[in-house]
Amino acid sequence: MKSFLDDLNDRQKEAVEQTEGAILILAGAGTGKTKTITYRIANMIENKHISPFSILALTFTNKAGNEMKERVKGLIGEKAKKITISTFHSFGYSLIRLYYPLLKLKENIVIYDTDDQKKVLEIINKKYNILLYIPFETKEIISIFSNIKEMEKDTDDISNFMYSTYLKELYNYYQLYLIEHNAIDFADILLYTKRLLENEIVLSKVQNRYKYIMVDEYQDTNNIQFQIVSMIADKYKNICVVGDENQSIYGFRGANILNILNFETNYNNAKIIKLEENYRSTTTILDAANELIKNNKSSKDKKLWTQNGKGDLIKVLACDNARDEVSRIIEIIKGNHQNGIAYRDMTILYRTNAQSRVFEEGLLRYSIPHKVFGGISFYSRAEIKDIIAYLSIIVNPQDELNLQRIINVPKRKVGEKGIEKIITYAKENNLNLLEVLSHIKEISGLTVVGKEKLLEMYDIIKELRDLSYIETASYIVQTLIDKIKYIDYIKENYDDAEARIENIDEFKNSILELENVVGELRLNEYLENVSLISATDDLEEKSDYVKLMTIHNSKGLEFPIVFLVGFENEIFPGSRAMFEEKEMEEERRLCYVALTRAEKKLYLSHTAIRFVYGQDRLATPSVFLKEIPEKLLDVEVKKERLYFEDDEFSDNDIELLDEVIKSFGNKTAKELVAYTHNEESLWNKTAKENKVLNLLENETINSTNLYLNLADLVANDPRKKAIYEDYIEQF
């Protein structure tokens, strides 16, 4: 008899040995959940002599399933292959393929993903023009249809909408299309699985095959998944679910936390086993997480503890603004690395993807290797690249690469063959692609609509090119987005439109932020700046880099050092949560997940001012910070700048610089000299910076140059450098 208990703690042993009946394993963060599950399966087969054929283990991701398979195989060898370890959708689809005639389907079933679903709706709309009467985006319609199926609703359930008649009609057309093409969508997989299990013969076969059921991440199950599991387990009642109610963070995807909270009600005599010994974090971090989550009514009084020792206090960085936040975190990262800590041991977590931008910029500026996980880096995101491509063409009409990128963005009814014709015409007539657009009516083989839209595109670029000489970069960007109706394009073509629009807002914000510092900024100047920022290294080959990701993407992972940034109200928790208890509880669970990712050190950063939508807004520390006892926190207040009586520069320096920038951005040296020697000039009254004028004598003055030259001037004087550090750091 093989022992699978020797390296387990008491609670883990209890979970492994308990094989019969209903069992709920409440596995807190870092408590060895996966180890417990795999040891339990191995013990069932090796020591309890339970057939591997009779075990069904359901997961949410292929990654989790594969990891479980590999671990079990490592314990019991080839027997592991006989166990059914599968995602809910894979398991369901295997049943559908086996019993498809009962669902009136044909043999070769096609699964439609989200893109396919959108295309189906477009096809239906071309025929019936029905979307005109439904005030929803395509992704919202798909979500409504999925909800109807997964909640097993009738279309009558949406009759309270004044446009419900059209929505019902569209749903019926959609379903008819799927039937005609022998297709199913992902919601259908779960719905049809349940329908098959409602057949007594099918249910009996499935129940007799799978006498032991295990479900991982049970807190993430939705209603129909709950029903599927309940039906299979109903005969033998040998069901073991593993999860953590405090890590239920997918309510927006339909996860129902009540499934785990009501387990004891749904299964009489259910055994509850709590895994509370954490192997990941320090006592300080766990105490903070425990104190935070106890404010949730949904928490089942689980308290994490560890033998890892007290560890460092949680460092709270109270920053002036976003750039200060970035600067201080980078300073810590650089200091850690100099002290022998690898970049890969440091991770930056944020609430939304848009927050990554300022940190990516900062890390690039200081040549710190980094990688964005669970998405792509800010300036590599499709919507940002689209806008930058347009801006590049406005500045440089010869930029054919970028023109090819956006010639059909937004959609202009120009296919690949049409683009080939345009390129051919350009070569034959020795024109660049932008010039060709002004001759578009001369090119045969293009649709009338396509020609009209391309000519419209040309007119927009030409107009904005003329404006770019007199208007600011931020004005050009906003005008461009409005004229090409880019937000509408995003809403119509992307499921994650909301996140992409957030990124666009953050992009606009980054320009306004820069203009706020340097004064008026022309488009060509901005593009010079952004080209350096967006020039990314091939980080894939580097094993040592700082990781950046959303908290949602960090679930299930762990990192030695964690920076949780933007820890302030209206970011984390979001503004909606401030007025809804249910939303607030989910946000608090998300915060709990974030805190428990950290192994050794945890930093929480917030700002006093946050630059949002073109203006500075007062920001307040997250309400969650107040829920963590002060004794666990080390609040680092920024040191005041030092001023010296004998310093060449006056105390009014900052005000002075702002005045000069405001009045003389992009002026000649001669004009600036005239201004500075005017008796009424603030500069003349309070300062002696003629050295700066000497440095700039033959140059055009702009704010960037001014700051850079000031930096050179004070480089060897620590006292003056301390005064100017905030200005200098930005360049």
Side-chain angles (χ1 to χ4, degrees):
M1 180 180 285
K2 247 185 207 180
S3 177
F4 296 100
L5 307 177
D6 294 343
D7 54 347
L8 300 175
N9 64 42
D10 290 343
R11 296 286 75 77
Q12 290 172 334
K13 288 177 184 176
E14 187 180 2
V16 167
E17 291 188 299
Q18 188 76 36
T19 57
E20 307 298 311
I23 305 147
L24 168 60
I25 302 174
L26 288 172
T31 57
K33 178 199 70 170
T34 306
K35 182 178 182 179
T36 304
I37 295 172
T38 52
Y39 273 55
R40 185 175 186 273
I41 294 173
N43 188 58
M44 289 167 69
I45 295 167
E46 286 293 305
N47 297 331
K48 301 285 184 177
H49 307 295
I50 294 168
S51 169
F53 283 106
S54 66
I55 299 172
L56 171 64
L58 294 170
T59 67
F60 276 85
T61 65
N62 288 316
K63 182 183 175 184
N66 292 332
E67 185 182 358
M68 198 181 293
K69 286 176 186 174
E70 287 302 311
R71 289 209 191 185
V72 175
K73 186 181 177 182
L75 293 170
I76 63 171
E78 295 302 309
K79 293 178 186 176
K81 292 182 178 180
K82 299 175 182 179
I83 309 164
T84 302
I85 301 176
S86 171
T87 64
F88 275 93
H89 284 90
S90 294
F91 171 74
Y93 188 53
S94 67
L95 283 184
I96 292 168
R97 282 187 302 171
L98 196 60
Y99 298 107
Y100 64 88
L102 295 175
L103 298 166
K104 297 180 180 178
L105 295 170
K106 298 172 187 173
E107 187 174 359
N108 297 311
I109 304 163
V110 180
I111 299 175
Y112 281 175
D113 61 16
T114 305
D115 286 339
D116 296 324
Q117 290 174 282
K118 285 180 179 177
K119 289 173 185 173
V120 172
L121 293 178
E122 288 171 8
I123 291 168
I124 294 169
N125 191 55
K126 280 180 183 177
K127 191 172 182 179
Y128 301 103
N129 201 29
I130 198 169
L131 291 178
L132 181 68
Y133 306 100
I134 301 172
F136 283 141
E137 299 170 22
T138 308
K139 74 161 190 173
E140 290 176 309
I141 294 171
I142 293 169
S143 179
I144 290 170
F145 289 179
S146 295
N147 188 257
I148 289 171
K149 293 176 181 183
E150 293 187 358
M151 300 298 290
E152 297 183 279
K153 294 179 178 178
D154 190 271
T155 50
D156 291 335
D157 292 333
I158 56 174
S159 60
N160 58 321
F161 299 122
M162 61 182 293
Y163 39 81
S164 62
T165 303
Y166 300 107
L167 200 57
K168 289 178 189 177
E169 192 177 354
L170 181 61
Y171 180 81
N172 290 333
Y173 284 137
Y174 173 78
Q175 286 301 104
L176 187 63
Y177 187 97
L178 294 186
I179 293 167
E180 287 176 349
H181 293 81
N182 199 41
I184 59 176
D185 57 32
F186 281 99
D188 282 327
I189 293 176
L190 296 179
L191 178 64
Y192 287 166
T193 300
K194 181 175 176 287
R195 284 185 184 172
L196 286 173
L197 294 174
E198 288 170 345
N199 181 295
E200 289 185 8
I201 297 172
V202 175
L203 179 62
S204 179
K205 286 184 178 180
V206 175
Q207 287 178 333
N208 288 327
R209 164 77 189 272
Y210 300 115
K211 298 182 175 83
Y212 295 87
I213 319 298
M214 293 189 69
V215 185
D216 191 20
E217 304 289 3
Y218 192 64
Q219 77 279 349
D220 295 334
T221 53
N222 62 21
N223 292 338
I224 199 164
Q225 287 165 333
F226 166 78
Q227 292 179 67
I228 289 168
V229 171
S230 299
M231 292 169 79
I232 299 172
D234 189 54
K235 184 172 183 177
Y236 293 99
K237 303 289 194 299
N238 295 322
I239 177 170
C240 175
V241 302
V242 188
D244 183 2
E245 78 287 359
N246 294 333
Q247 295 189 71
S248 178
I249 59 175
Y250 295 115
F252 65 96
R253 292 183 188 170
N256 189 351
I257 193 174
L258 293 177
N259 293 345
I260 193 168
L261 295 179
N262 295 339
F263 187 83
E264 298 132 283
T265 306
N266 296 326
Y267 293 93
N268 293 328
N269 302 316
K271 187 172 182 64
I272 314 299
I273 302 171
K274 295 181 182 178
L275 303 185
E276 297 173 299
E277 183 177 359
N278 177 285
Y279 296 93
R280 175 186 300 160
S281 307
T282 64
T283 296
T284 298
I285 292 169
L286 296 181
D287 286 350
N290 288 330
E291 288 296 316
L292 172 89
I293 204 64
K294 75 179 187 182
N295 292 285
N296 270 10
K297 293 176 182 177
S298 59
S299 184
K300 293 176 79 71
D301 195 32
K302 196 167 59 279
K303 193 172 182 179
L304 297 179
W305 62 276
T306 187
Q307 300 181 53
N308 290 343
K310 185 177 179 181
D312 294 344
L313 294 175
I314 297 167
K315 184 80 78 174
V316 180
L317 305 176
C319 308
D320 295 341
N321 50 43
R323 289 193 176 275
D324 184 32
E325 183 181 34
V326 172
S327 187
R328 294 171 75 182
I329 287 172
I330 284 178
E331 187 180 343
I332 295 167
I333 290 172
K334 286 169 65 181
N336 284 341
H337 193 252
Q338 287 168 3
N339 291 326
I341 297 173
Y343 287 126
R344 60 177 168 269
D345 289 340
M346 293 178 277
T347 301
I348 298 172
L349 300 182
Y350 34 80
R351 179 65 180 85
T352 64
N353 271 309
Q355 291 172 258
S356 75
R357 192 265 308 172
V358 288
F359 290 95
E360 290 180 66
E361 288 182 6
L363 292 164
L364 279 165
R365 189 181 303 124
Y366 287 95
S367 301
I368 296 172
H370 61 280
K371 184 178 179 182
V372 177
F373 285 81
I376 53 178
S377 62
F378 187 84
Y379 288 99
S380 298
R381 292 167 193 166
E383 59 276 16
I384 305 301
K385 291 188 75 146
D386 287 345
I387 302 296
I388 290 176
Y390 268 103
L391 300 179
S392 297
I393 294 158
I394 293 168
V395 171
N396 177 19
Q398 306 293 328
D399 189 352
E400 295 189 1
L401 186 66
N402 273 314
L403 187 63
Q404 286 188 57
R405 175 183 176 87
I406 48 83
I407 198 165
N408 220 22
V409 176
K411 293 178 180 178
R412 298 188 173 95
K413 307 288 184 183
V414 183
E416 288 184 12
K417 289 183 178 178
I419 293 171
E420 285 174 11
K421 289 179 184 292
I422 294 169
I423 293 170
T424 302
Y425 186 94
K427 289 177 180 176
E428 289 175 351
N429 294 274
N430 198 29
L431 299 169
N432 64 50
L433 288 186
L434 186 61
E435 290 171 331
V436 171
L437 297 189
S438 64
H439 300 273
I440 202 69
K441 290 183 177 179
E442 301 169 16
I443 303 175
S444 60
L446 296 173
T447 65
V448 175
V449 174
K451 287 182 178 182
E452 286 176 358
K453 287 186 177 294
L454 289 174
L455 197 59
E456 183 186 356
M457 176 188 179
Y458 173 79
D459 290 338
I460 291 171
I461 291 172
K462 189 175 181 299
E463 180 188 349
L464 292 176
R465 180 167 171 78
D466 292 338
L467 285 171
S468 70
Y469 297 108
I470 56 174
E471 295 288 353
T472 62
S474 58
Y475 178 87
I476 300 295
V477 169
Q478 186 60 64
T479 306
L480 169 71
I481 290 169
D482 293 342
K483 283 186 173 292
I484 65 173
K485 298 178 180 176
Y486 192 73
I487 300 301
D488 290 341
Y489 166 76
I490 290 290
K491 288 178 178 178
E492 290 167 6
N493 290 277
Y494 292 102
D495 285 338
D496 56 348
E498 188 176 344
R500 291 178 185 270
I501 292 169
E502 272 186 12
N503 288 333
I504 293 167
D505 288 338
E506 180 59 22
F507 178 68
K508 293 189 294 185
N509 194 54
S510 72
I511 302 172
L512 288 164
E513 193 176 46
L514 191 58
E515 288 179 345
N516 197 44
V517 174
V518 304
E520 287 192 355
L521 186 70
R522 300 288 172 246
L523 186 60
N524 63 323
E525 293 175 319
Y526 174 71
L527 284 178
E528 287 172 11
N529 179 62
V530 83
S531 65
L532 296 172
I533 291 171
S534 59
T536 56
D537 297 327
D538 185 10
L539 298 174
E540 294 291 339
E541 297 179 2
K542 298 180 181 179
S543 59
D544 193 27
Y545 43 68
V546 177
K547 304 176 188 71
L548 295 88
M549 67 185 74
T550 64
I551 303 166
H552 279 100
N553 284 320
S554 76
K555 189 172 177 289
L557 304 175
E558 56 190 41
F559 317 99
I561 299 172
V562 169
F563 300 91
L564 178 54
V565 302
F567 203 53
E568 56 211 53
N569 294 324
E570 298 193 11
I571 295 178
F572 195 23
S575 50
R576 284 187 298 187
M578 305 300 286
F579 305 100
E580 293 184 32
E581 187 180 5
K582 186 180 176 183
E583 290 272 352
M584 181 61 83
E585 289 221 347
E586 178 136 340
E587 287 283 288
R588 188 176 284 110
R589 290 194 294 269
L590 189 61
C591 186
Y592 175 86
V593 168
L595 299 183
T596 54
R597 297 314 92 195
E599 296 175 359
K600 296 176 181 178
K601 290 186 178 182
L602 175 62
Y603 294 83
L604 309 175
S605 64
H606 63 86
T607 67
I609 294 173
R610 184 70 65 177
F611 197 73
V612 183
Y613 302 125
Q615 59 183 8
D616 286 329
R617 293 185 184 176
L618 290 176
T620 56
S622 172
V623 295
F624 298 146
L625 190 59
K626 297 177 183 176
E627 296 176 3
I628 300 172
E630 287 185 19
K631 66 180 182 182
L632 303 175
L633 304 176
D634 175 13
V635 181
E636 185 181 292
V637 181
K638 188 170 183 182
K639 294 176 182 176
E640 296 294 326
R641 295 191 186 93
L642 296 175
Y643 293 87
F644 301 89
E645 290 183 9
D646 62 342
D647 199 298
E648 182 180 345
F649 301 115
S650 71
D651 289 351
N652 296 322
D653 234 25
I654 304 302
E655 185 184 353
L656 169 65
L657 282 172
D658 287 344
E659 180 74 15
V660 173
I661 300 294
K662 204 178 291 180
S663 304
F664 279 90
N666 298 317
K667 298 294 182 182
T668 65
K670 187 176 179 180
E671 290 171 310
L672 184 58
V673 170
Y675 173 76
T676 58
H677 288 75
N678 186 306
E679 286 185 5
E680 300 302 314
S681 163
L682 177 64
W683 181 276
N684 193 52
K685 284 181 179 179
T686 61
K688 303 173 184 177
E689 274 77 8
N690 288 324
K691 288 183 182 179
V692 177
L693 294 178
N694 293 333
L695 288 168
L696 302 176
E697 190 174 356
N698 298 312
E699 297 180 29
T700 298
I701 304 296
N702 61 43
S703 49
T704 303
N705 281 339
L706 181 60
Y707 285 136
L708 287 173
N709 281 285
L710 278 171
D712 289 339
L713 190 64
V714 304
N716 298 317
D717 190 329
R719 298 172 303 162
K720 289 181 279 188
K721 193 173 181 180
I723 296 173
Y724 280 91
E725 64 180 356
D726 273 6
Y727 285 92
I728 295 165
E729 278 177 5
Q730 300 191 40
F731 300 96

